[in-house]
Amino acid sequence: MSNYQILTPRLWIRPWTDTDRSGFARFVADAEMMRFITGAVWTESQIDGFFQRQADHLARSGMCMAALCLREGGELIGVAGAQPLDRSVGHDIGWWVWKDHWRQGY
C-alpha cells in the first residue's frame, strides 16, 4: 500500500482497498448523488475503469482520487484527492461526499 494519505481532524484520505468497492459502487449507482458528478449513474465497467485509473495514477505519480473516510471509525464517505490530468499538464483536485454526509462542513 502507498503511503499517500491526508489526515484532518475529522477526515482521512487514503488509497483504495478491495473492500472499498461496494461502498464506492453505492455512490455511483445513486442518481441523486451522480447528478452532481457526471450526470448519470455508472456501470460496472466505469467502476472498473475508475479503480484502474486511480491505481495507475498512484503508481506513476504518488497521488490519486482516493477514499475519503471519517477519521473516527474509518467509514467510507466519498472520494477526495488529486490526480494528474489526462489531457494536459497539470493536476485535478476534487472531492465527492456521499449524500448522507452533505452539510457536515467537510
Side-chain angles (χ1 to χ4, degrees):
M1 177 182 273
S2 168
N3 61 3
Y4 176 67
Q5 67 175 337
I6 300 168
L7 293 169
T8 75
R10 298 189 297 160
L11 300 172
W12 176 29
I13 301 169
R14 58 156 176 79
W16 295 101
T17 66
D18 292 339
T19 59
D20 295 323
R21 186 181 176 92
S22 63
F24 182 81
R26 177 185 64 164
F27 304 156
V28 299
D30 186 276
E32 182 182 13
M33 171 92 175
M34 293 309 289
R35 73 184 168 133
F36 298 108
I37 309 301
T38 61
V41 298
W42 285 15
T43 65
E44 288 296 316
S45 177
Q46 288 171 300
I47 295 169
D48 291 341
F50 174 85
F51 276 96
Q52 186 60 58
R53 278 190 309 281
Q54 299 320 310
D56 292 347
H57 288 317
L58 189 59
R60 282 194 313 268
S61 67
M63 66 178 78
C64 68
M65 296 302 288
L68 174 64
C69 303
L70 293 177
R71 190 161 176 181
E72 185 175 317
E75 177 187 356
L76 177 66
I77 64 163
V79 177
Q83 64 185 1
L85 290 171
D86 293 330
R87 60 193 172 280
S88 66
V89 176
H91 293 85
D92 180 28
I93 60 170
W95 60 93
W96 316 351
V97 176
W98 174 240
K99 66 184 185 181
D100 290 351
H101 294 273
W102 291 349
R103 298 177 186 85
Q104 301 295 314
Y106 297 130

PDB file of all heavy atoms in Angstrom, residues 24-25 27-30 34 37-51 53 96:
ATOM      1  N   PHE A  24     -18.112   2.360  -2.828  1.00  0.00           N
ATOM      2  CA  PHE A  24     -17.986   3.228  -3.992  1.00  0.00           C
ATOM      3  C   PHE A  24     -19.108   2.944  -4.986  1.00  0.00           C
ATOM      4  O   PHE A  24     -19.709   3.877  -5.534  1.00  0.00           O
ATOM      5  CB  PHE A  24     -16.619   3.039  -4.657  1.00  0.00           C
ATOM      6  CG  PHE A  24     -16.409   3.931  -5.837  1.00  0.00           C
ATOM      7  CD1 PHE A  24     -16.027   5.246  -5.671  1.00  0.00           C
ATOM      8  CD2 PHE A  24     -16.605   3.453  -7.127  1.00  0.00           C
ATOM      9  CE1 PHE A  24     -15.851   6.080  -6.771  1.00  0.00           C
ATOM     10  CE2 PHE A  24     -16.435   4.270  -8.227  1.00  0.00           C
ATOM     11  CZ  PHE A  24     -16.040   5.595  -8.047  1.00  0.00           C
ATOM     12  N   ALA A  25     -19.408   1.670  -5.202  1.00  0.00           N
ATOM     13  CA  ALA A  25     -20.477   1.293  -6.134  1.00  0.00           C
ATOM     14  C   ALA A  25     -21.816   1.873  -5.678  1.00  0.00           C
ATOM     15  O   ALA A  25     -22.638   2.277  -6.508  1.00  0.00           O
ATOM     16  CB  ALA A  25     -20.560  -0.220  -6.270  1.00  0.00           C
ATOM     17  N   PHE A  27     -22.225   4.745  -4.136  1.00  0.00           N
ATOM     18  CA  PHE A  27     -22.210   6.167  -4.502  1.00  0.00           C
ATOM     19  C   PHE A  27     -22.597   6.363  -5.963  1.00  0.00           C
ATOM     20  O   PHE A  27     -23.440   7.176  -6.290  1.00  0.00           O
ATOM     21  CB  PHE A  27     -20.820   6.799  -4.341  1.00  0.00           C
ATOM     22  CG  PHE A  27     -20.177   6.705  -2.998  1.00  0.00           C
ATOM     23  CD1 PHE A  27     -18.805   6.772  -2.890  1.00  0.00           C
ATOM     24  CD2 PHE A  27     -20.914   6.567  -1.829  1.00  0.00           C
ATOM     25  CE1 PHE A  27     -18.170   6.704  -1.664  1.00  0.00           C
ATOM     26  CE2 PHE A  27     -20.296   6.498  -0.589  1.00  0.00           C
ATOM     27  CZ  PHE A  27     -18.916   6.562  -0.503  1.00  0.00           C
ATOM     28  N   VAL A  28     -21.924   5.617  -6.834  1.00  0.00           N
ATOM     29  CA  VAL A  28     -22.071   5.863  -8.273  1.00  0.00           C
ATOM     30  C   VAL A  28     -23.337   5.251  -8.865  1.00  0.00           C
ATOM     31  O   VAL A  28     -23.662   5.516 -10.015  1.00  0.00           O
ATOM     32  CB  VAL A  28     -20.809   5.435  -9.063  1.00  0.00           C
ATOM     33  CG1 VAL A  28     -19.601   6.228  -8.587  1.00  0.00           C
ATOM     34  CG2 VAL A  28     -20.560   3.947  -8.973  1.00  0.00           C
ATOM     35  N   ALA A  29     -24.055   4.472  -8.070  1.00  0.00           N
ATOM     36  CA  ALA A  29     -25.331   3.911  -8.513  1.00  0.00           C
ATOM     37  C   ALA A  29     -26.502   4.803  -8.103  1.00  0.00           C
ATOM     38  O   ALA A  29     -27.639   4.536  -8.480  1.00  0.00           O
ATOM     39  CB  ALA A  29     -25.525   2.513  -7.940  1.00  0.00           C
ATOM     40  N   ASP A  30     -26.228   5.852  -7.363  1.00  0.00           N
ATOM     41  CA  ASP A  30     -27.272   6.721  -6.848  1.00  0.00           C
ATOM     42  C   ASP A  30     -27.442   7.944  -7.755  1.00  0.00           C
ATOM     43  O   ASP A  30     -26.534   8.774  -7.867  1.00  0.00           O
ATOM     44  CB  ASP A  30     -26.916   7.157  -5.428  1.00  0.00           C
ATOM     45  CG  ASP A  30     -28.014   7.943  -4.780  1.00  0.00           C
ATOM     46  OD1 ASP A  30     -28.077   9.173  -5.019  1.00  0.00           O
ATOM     47  OD2 ASP A  30     -28.818   7.339  -4.037  1.00  0.00           O
ATOM     48  N   MET A  34     -25.042  11.262  -8.278  1.00  0.00           N
ATOM     49  CA  MET A  34     -24.274  11.382  -9.516  1.00  0.00           C
ATOM     50  C   MET A  34     -24.703  12.555 -10.395  1.00  0.00           C
ATOM     51  O   MET A  34     -23.961  12.957 -11.274  1.00  0.00           O
ATOM     52  CB  MET A  34     -24.329  10.069 -10.293  1.00  0.00           C
ATOM     53  CG  MET A  34     -23.604   8.934  -9.575  1.00  0.00           C
ATOM     54  SD  MET A  34     -21.910   9.355  -9.066  1.00  0.00           S
ATOM     55  CE  MET A  34     -21.105   9.401 -10.647  1.00  0.00           C
ATOM     56  N   ILE A  37     -21.965  14.845 -10.198  1.00  0.00           N
ATOM     57  CA  ILE A  37     -20.630  14.353 -10.560  1.00  0.00           C
ATOM     58  C   ILE A  37     -20.505  14.202 -12.074  1.00  0.00           C
ATOM     59  O   ILE A  37     -19.711  14.899 -12.698  1.00  0.00           O
ATOM     60  CB  ILE A  37     -20.329  13.001  -9.857  1.00  0.00           C
ATOM     61  CG1 ILE A  37     -20.590  13.078  -8.345  1.00  0.00           C
ATOM     62  CG2 ILE A  37     -18.907  12.555 -10.158  1.00  0.00           C
ATOM     63  CD1 ILE A  37     -19.801  14.104  -7.582  1.00  0.00           C
ATOM     64  N   THR A  38     -21.257  13.282 -12.649  1.00  0.00           N
ATOM     65  CA  THR A  38     -21.173  13.041 -14.095  1.00  0.00           C
ATOM     66  C   THR A  38     -22.518  13.156 -14.788  1.00  0.00           C
ATOM     67  O   THR A  38     -22.593  13.042 -16.004  1.00  0.00           O
ATOM     68  CB  THR A  38     -20.596  11.644 -14.389  1.00  0.00           C
ATOM     69  OG1 THR A  38     -21.458  10.659 -13.824  1.00  0.00           O
ATOM     70  CG2 THR A  38     -19.191  11.495 -13.848  1.00  0.00           C
ATOM     71  N   GLY A  39     -23.572  13.292 -14.015  1.00  0.00           N
ATOM     72  CA  GLY A  39     -24.900  13.408 -14.589  1.00  0.00           C
ATOM     73  C   GLY A  39     -25.624  12.090 -14.789  1.00  0.00           C
ATOM     74  O   GLY A  39     -26.793  12.078 -15.140  1.00  0.00           O
ATOM     75  N   ALA A  40     -24.938  10.974 -14.582  1.00  0.00           N
ATOM     76  CA  ALA A  40     -25.559   9.659 -14.778  1.00  0.00           C
ATOM     77  C   ALA A  40     -24.901   8.639 -13.855  1.00  0.00           C
ATOM     78  O   ALA A  40     -23.732   8.787 -13.475  1.00  0.00           O
ATOM     79  CB  ALA A  40     -25.405   9.213 -16.230  1.00  0.00           C
ATOM     80  N   VAL A  41     -25.662   7.605 -13.507  1.00  0.00           N
ATOM     81  CA  VAL A  41     -25.097   6.519 -12.705  1.00  0.00           C
ATOM     82  C   VAL A  41     -24.065   5.760 -13.543  1.00  0.00           C
ATOM     83  O   VAL A  41     -24.071   5.846 -14.769  1.00  0.00           O
ATOM     84  CB  VAL A  41     -26.188   5.572 -12.170  1.00  0.00           C
ATOM     85  CG1 VAL A  41     -27.139   6.332 -11.258  1.00  0.00           C
ATOM     86  CG2 VAL A  41     -26.934   4.894 -13.287  1.00  0.00           C
ATOM     87  N   TRP A  42     -23.189   5.031 -12.885  1.00  0.00           N
ATOM     88  CA  TRP A  42     -22.094   4.334 -13.558  1.00  0.00           C
ATOM     89  C   TRP A  42     -22.381   2.853 -13.713  1.00  0.00           C
ATOM     90  O   TRP A  42     -23.052   2.237 -12.881  1.00  0.00           O
ATOM     91  CB  TRP A  42     -20.806   4.485 -12.765  1.00  0.00           C
ATOM     92  CG  TRP A  42     -20.178   5.831 -12.868  1.00  0.00           C
ATOM     93  CD1 TRP A  42     -20.731   6.981 -13.335  1.00  0.00           C
ATOM     94  CD2 TRP A  42     -18.857   6.173 -12.457  1.00  0.00           C
ATOM     95  NE1 TRP A  42     -19.846   8.013 -13.253  1.00  0.00           N
ATOM     96  CE2 TRP A  42     -18.685   7.548 -12.718  1.00  0.00           C
ATOM     97  CE3 TRP A  42     -17.816   5.455 -11.894  1.00  0.00           C
ATOM     98  CZ2 TRP A  42     -17.491   8.213 -12.437  1.00  0.00           C
ATOM     99  CZ3 TRP A  42     -16.632   6.120 -11.608  1.00  0.00           C
ATOM    100  CH2 TRP A  42     -16.478   7.480 -11.889  1.00  0.00           C
ATOM    101  N   THR A  43     -21.777   2.285 -14.745  1.00  0.00           N
ATOM    102  CA  THR A  43     -21.817   0.847 -14.985  1.00  0.00           C
ATOM    103  C   THR A  43     -20.651   0.182 -14.252  1.00  0.00           C
ATOM    104  O   THR A  43     -19.715   0.855 -13.786  1.00  0.00           O
ATOM    105  CB  THR A  43     -21.678   0.556 -16.485  1.00  0.00           C
ATOM    106  OG1 THR A  43     -20.370   0.991 -16.905  1.00  0.00           O
ATOM    107  CG2 THR A  43     -22.763   1.266 -17.293  1.00  0.00           C
ATOM    108  N   GLU A  44     -20.700  -1.120 -14.185  1.00  0.00           N
ATOM    109  CA  GLU A  44     -19.578  -1.871 -13.595  1.00  0.00           C
ATOM    110  C   GLU A  44     -18.280  -1.591 -14.350  1.00  0.00           C
ATOM    111  O   GLU A  44     -17.212  -1.476 -13.750  1.00  0.00           O
ATOM    112  CB  GLU A  44     -19.874  -3.376 -13.585  1.00  0.00           C
ATOM    113  CG  GLU A  44     -20.914  -3.782 -12.564  1.00  0.00           C
ATOM    114  CD  GLU A  44     -20.465  -3.529 -11.124  1.00  0.00           C
ATOM    115  OE1 GLU A  44     -19.314  -3.836 -10.766  1.00  0.00           O
ATOM    116  OE2 GLU A  44     -21.299  -3.018 -10.346  1.00  0.00           O
ATOM    117  N   SER A  45     -18.382  -1.454 -15.656  1.00  0.00           N
ATOM    118  CA  SER A  45     -17.207  -1.150 -16.474  1.00  0.00           C
ATOM    119  C   SER A  45     -16.604   0.207 -16.110  1.00  0.00           C
ATOM    120  O   SER A  45     -15.380   0.359 -16.042  1.00  0.00           O
ATOM    121  CB  SER A  45     -17.586  -1.190 -17.955  1.00  0.00           C
ATOM    122  OG  SER A  45     -16.494  -0.830 -18.762  1.00  0.00           O
ATOM    123  N   GLN A  46     -17.452   1.193 -15.870  1.00  0.00           N
ATOM    124  CA  GLN A  46     -16.956   2.509 -15.460  1.00  0.00           C
ATOM    125  C   GLN A  46     -16.311   2.453 -14.084  1.00  0.00           C
ATOM    126  O   GLN A  46     -15.303   3.119 -13.840  1.00  0.00           O
ATOM    127  CB  GLN A  46     -18.095   3.530 -15.474  1.00  0.00           C
ATOM    128  CG  GLN A  46     -18.534   3.911 -16.870  1.00  0.00           C
ATOM    129  CD  GLN A  46     -19.790   4.753 -16.854  1.00  0.00           C
ATOM    130  OE1 GLN A  46     -20.831   4.327 -16.361  1.00  0.00           O
ATOM    131  NE2 GLN A  46     -19.680   5.957 -17.409  1.00  0.00           N
ATOM    132  N   ILE A  47     -16.884   1.664 -13.188  1.00  0.00           N
ATOM    133  CA  ILE A  47     -16.287   1.493 -11.863  1.00  0.00           C
ATOM    134  C   ILE A  47     -14.917   0.847 -11.993  1.00  0.00           C
ATOM    135  O   ILE A  47     -13.936   1.306 -11.392  1.00  0.00           O
ATOM    136  CB  ILE A  47     -17.209   0.662 -10.944  1.00  0.00           C
ATOM    137  CG1 ILE A  47     -18.508   1.422 -10.674  1.00  0.00           C
ATOM    138  CG2 ILE A  47     -16.502   0.300  -9.644  1.00  0.00           C
ATOM    139  CD1 ILE A  47     -19.591   0.588 -10.007  1.00  0.00           C
ATOM    140  N   ASP A  48     -14.824  -0.227 -12.791  1.00  0.00           N
ATOM    141  CA  ASP A  48     -13.532  -0.882 -13.019  1.00  0.00           C
ATOM    142  C   ASP A  48     -12.506   0.112 -13.560  1.00  0.00           C
ATOM    143  O   ASP A  48     -11.365   0.139 -13.104  1.00  0.00           O
ATOM    144  CB  ASP A  48     -13.672  -2.037 -14.018  1.00  0.00           C
ATOM    145  CG  ASP A  48     -14.460  -3.206 -13.481  1.00  0.00           C
ATOM    146  OD1 ASP A  48     -14.621  -3.330 -12.246  1.00  0.00           O
ATOM    147  OD2 ASP A  48     -14.921  -4.022 -14.314  1.00  0.00           O
ATOM    148  N   GLY A  49     -12.927   0.916 -14.534  1.00  0.00           N
ATOM    149  CA  GLY A  49     -12.031   1.899 -15.132  1.00  0.00           C
ATOM    150  C   GLY A  49     -11.554   2.922 -14.123  1.00  0.00           C
ATOM    151  O   GLY A  49     -10.373   3.297 -14.115  1.00  0.00           O
ATOM    152  N   PHE A  50     -12.448   3.393 -13.260  1.00  0.00           N
ATOM    153  CA  PHE A  50     -12.077   4.358 -12.225  1.00  0.00           C
ATOM    154  C   PHE A  50     -11.009   3.775 -11.312  1.00  0.00           C
ATOM    155  O   PHE A  50      -9.979   4.403 -11.063  1.00  0.00           O
ATOM    156  CB  PHE A  50     -13.302   4.774 -11.401  1.00  0.00           C
ATOM    157  CG  PHE A  50     -12.968   5.659 -10.238  1.00  0.00           C
ATOM    158  CD1 PHE A  50     -12.850   7.027 -10.408  1.00  0.00           C
ATOM    159  CD2 PHE A  50     -12.764   5.126  -8.977  1.00  0.00           C
ATOM    160  CE1 PHE A  50     -12.526   7.854  -9.337  1.00  0.00           C
ATOM    161  CE2 PHE A  50     -12.436   5.933  -7.904  1.00  0.00           C
ATOM    162  CZ  PHE A  50     -12.319   7.308  -8.075  1.00  0.00           C
ATOM    163  N   PHE A  51     -11.254   2.567 -10.794  1.00  0.00           N
ATOM    164  CA  PHE A  51     -10.285   1.960  -9.878  1.00  0.00           C
ATOM    165  C   PHE A  51      -8.948   1.706 -10.575  1.00  0.00           C
ATOM    166  O   PHE A  51      -7.893   1.911  -9.969  1.00  0.00           O
ATOM    167  CB  PHE A  51     -10.850   0.674  -9.256  1.00  0.00           C
ATOM    168  CG  PHE A  51     -11.708   0.944  -8.053  1.00  0.00           C
ATOM    169  CD1 PHE A  51     -13.083   1.023  -8.174  1.00  0.00           C
ATOM    170  CD2 PHE A  51     -11.148   1.137  -6.812  1.00  0.00           C
ATOM    171  CE1 PHE A  51     -13.886   1.289  -7.078  1.00  0.00           C
ATOM    172  CE2 PHE A  51     -11.935   1.397  -5.699  1.00  0.00           C
ATOM    173  CZ  PHE A  51     -13.313   1.480  -5.829  1.00  0.00           C
ATOM    174  N   ARG A  53      -7.682   3.444 -13.167  1.00  0.00           N
ATOM    175  CA  ARG A  53      -7.033   4.751 -13.360  1.00  0.00           C
ATOM    176  C   ARG A  53      -6.414   5.260 -12.073  1.00  0.00           C
ATOM    177  O   ARG A  53      -5.296   5.785 -12.071  1.00  0.00           O
ATOM    178  CB  ARG A  53      -8.041   5.783 -13.879  1.00  0.00           C
ATOM    179  CG  ARG A  53      -8.280   5.736 -15.355  1.00  0.00           C
ATOM    180  CD  ARG A  53      -9.086   6.931 -15.852  1.00  0.00           C
ATOM    181  NE  ARG A  53     -10.318   7.174 -15.120  1.00  0.00           N
ATOM    182  CZ  ARG A  53     -11.452   6.493 -15.294  1.00  0.00           C
ATOM    183  NH1 ARG A  53     -11.512   5.501 -16.172  1.00  0.00           N
ATOM    184  NH2 ARG A  53     -12.529   6.787 -14.583  1.00  0.00           N
ATOM    185  N   TRP A  96     -15.929  14.171  -3.699  1.00  0.00           N
ATOM    186  CA  TRP A  96     -17.342  13.808  -3.722  1.00  0.00           C
ATOM    187  C   TRP A  96     -17.654  13.350  -2.308  1.00  0.00           C
ATOM    188  O   TRP A  96     -16.910  12.564  -1.745  1.00  0.00           O
ATOM    189  CB  TRP A  96     -17.657  12.631  -4.620  1.00  0.00           C
ATOM    190  CG  TRP A  96     -17.064  12.529  -5.986  1.00  0.00           C
ATOM    191  CD1 TRP A  96     -16.354  13.470  -6.673  1.00  0.00           C
ATOM    192  CD2 TRP A  96     -17.144  11.395  -6.829  1.00  0.00           C
ATOM    193  NE1 TRP A  96     -16.000  12.986  -7.894  1.00  0.00           N
ATOM    194  CE2 TRP A  96     -16.466  11.705  -8.029  1.00  0.00           C
ATOM    195  CE3 TRP A  96     -17.728  10.143  -6.714  1.00  0.00           C
ATOM    196  CZ2 TRP A  96     -16.353  10.816  -9.082  1.00  0.00           C
ATOM    197  CZ3 TRP A  96     -17.609   9.257  -7.764  1.00  0.00           C
ATOM    198  CH2 TRP A  96     -16.937   9.595  -8.935  1.00  0.00           C
TER     199      TRP A  96
END
